[in-house]
Each structure stands twice: as C-alpha cells, then as structure tokens.
Amino acid sequence: MRPADVSEVNSTLILRADEIGNELRKLVKEKSEDRAAVLVTMDQMDGEEESEAMLAVCGRGYMLIELCRLMWNDPRIGVALRVFLMSEIEKIKLSDENK
C-alpha cells in the first residue's frame, strides 16, 4: 500500500470515499457537541500489486478518543489495527537502522 494524492488515484471507490470523507468532516464540525468519524477505504486495483487506500479521521474531544478505543477493542477491527500498527513500527525501525 502506498499513500497517494487523491488526484492520482484511479479507483472510483477511493475517489468516492474522498468525497464522503469531506462530508463526514462537515458533519462532525456542524455541531458544538463532541462528534467523531473514521472512514477507511481500500481497493485492490486489477493487475496492480499495490492497493490504494484512503483514511479520513475527524473528531472533537472525548468522542474521538472513545471511538479509537472502541475500534481498538473490537474483535474484528482491533486485530487489523494492531497488525497495521506493528507493521508500521517495523518499517520505522528499519528506516532508523538504515540511517
């Protein structure tokens, strides 16, 4: 997976998710109460080795912390988050070792 600027993405799923992410940000900001939203979208393009992904995280105060805690403890989502986090930590370690 590689981070991509939405302008260079070919996936209609990712492009649509970017639009939805913008709408979620507006909805989170429209009320003074604490709100939070997370949108994760991933697409494996035909014939491509890498995936395209889009992540939108927005929120206020305690709700964003609570949402992250609930996702981390979810038996389905939490496992994926931990695997992703460990993978990113290993990449950082390797990068630091190569400096």
Side-chain angles (χ1 to χ4, degrees):
M1 183 177 78
R2 66 175 177 77
D5 185 358
V6 174
S7 63
E8 65 185 58
V9 169
N10 295 318
S11 166
T12 55
L13 174 68
I14 301 297
L15 292 171
R16 182 68 180 118
D18 185 56
E19 294 172 10
I20 293 169
N22 291 334
E23 289 300 315
L24 282 174
R25 285 182 196 90
K26 289 178 190 173
L27 288 171
V28 166
K29 290 179 181 179
E30 82 180 6
K31 286 199 172 184
S32 60
E33 297 122 25
D34 285 349
R35 286 181 160 181
V38 174
L39 172 65
V40 180
T41 311
M42 192 169 198
D43 194 8
Q44 181 76 43
M45 302 301 291
D46 293 333
E48 298 287 330
E49 290 185 21
E50 294 182 339
S51 300
E52 293 182 341
M54 200 280 299
L55 170 67
V57 179
C58 49
R60 284 199 190 108
Y62 178 75
M63 290 299 286
L64 188 56
I65 294 168
E66 182 66 13
L67 177 59
C68 290
R69 186 189 66 76
L70 289 171
M71 288 172 53
W72 186 262
N73 291 322
D74 183 274
R76 297 158 300 171
I77 299 170
V79 173
L81 288 174
R82 287 186 281 281
V83 168
F84 176 74
L85 180 61
M86 296 311 286
S87 171
E88 291 303 308
I89 289 170
E90 287 302 314
K91 288 178 190 174
I92 292 168
K93 283 182 185 177
L94 289 173
S95 174
D96 288 348
E97 290 173 2
N98 291 332
K99 287 183 180 179

